[in-house]
Each structure stands twice: as structure tokens, then as C-alpha cells.
Amino acid sequence: MKQYVIADNIQTITGMRLAGVDGVLINDDAEFKKQLDSALQDNEIGIIMISPSLIKAHQSQVDEVRFNRSTPLIAEIEGPLENPDEKTSIADTIQHAIGISL
């Protein structure tokens, strides 16, 4: 199962590519729909990660996929600029995710 990222900031795309996940940088609304449709056509993609601002701007399209298709899973992926007031370290994120203290 492959993963794919659709984001509107280069930091998220760069980070995910370094982790081996392919993705695309979105600059306008028409491009989002085109890239989402393209990702949905690829049966090997099991998870599509989308930045929160794109989900908010295209909520009806995202909900259509979430509610009417069993795959792929649509996940929200926050970039470094999504919550600038909240300073969370990697250790805090891991602790929260798996419930152990590092």
C-alpha cells in the first residue's frame, strides 16, 4: 500500500519525500481537484495525507471520499506552519501517540 501527500506548503512535501512518500504541492483550487482525482485513480494508494487548510477549503470533496469509499484513507497532516503557537517536540508527539514517556 502506497501513501501520497497533497499539501500547500513545501516543508510538508519535502519532509514526506525525505521519508519516501511521494506527493504534490498545490497552488490553486483546480489543481487540488485534479491531483485528488489522480490519486484516487491509483489503486495502490491506500492513504492520502492532506494539509488541514486544503481539507477545510475542499471539505465537500474530501467528505465525499471519506464517506463513499472504503479506500483510500484520508488523513490530515499538519505542516510546520499549521500551529505556530503550539511548540510540540518530536518526543511529545511520540509520547502522546503511544502513551509512554521518553
Side-chain angles (χ1 to χ4, degrees), residues 14-63:
T14 302
M16 295 307 290
R17 284 189 179 162
L18 288 171
V21 178
D22 195 22
V24 64
L25 180 64
I26 299 296
N27 294 319
D28 61 49
D29 291 341
E31 191 175 352
F32 176 82
K33 180 168 177 28
K34 178 183 163 192
Q35 293 300 328
L36 180 61
D37 289 343
S38 176
L40 293 172
Q41 296 299 317
D42 187 345
N43 293 330
E44 291 184 19
I45 296 176
I47 300 172
I48 300 176
M49 294 172 274
I50 305 174
S51 59
S53 56
L54 289 174
I55 289 177
K56 186 175 180 180
H58 304 279
Q59 191 69 55
S60 62
Q61 292 170 329
V62 172
D63 285 347

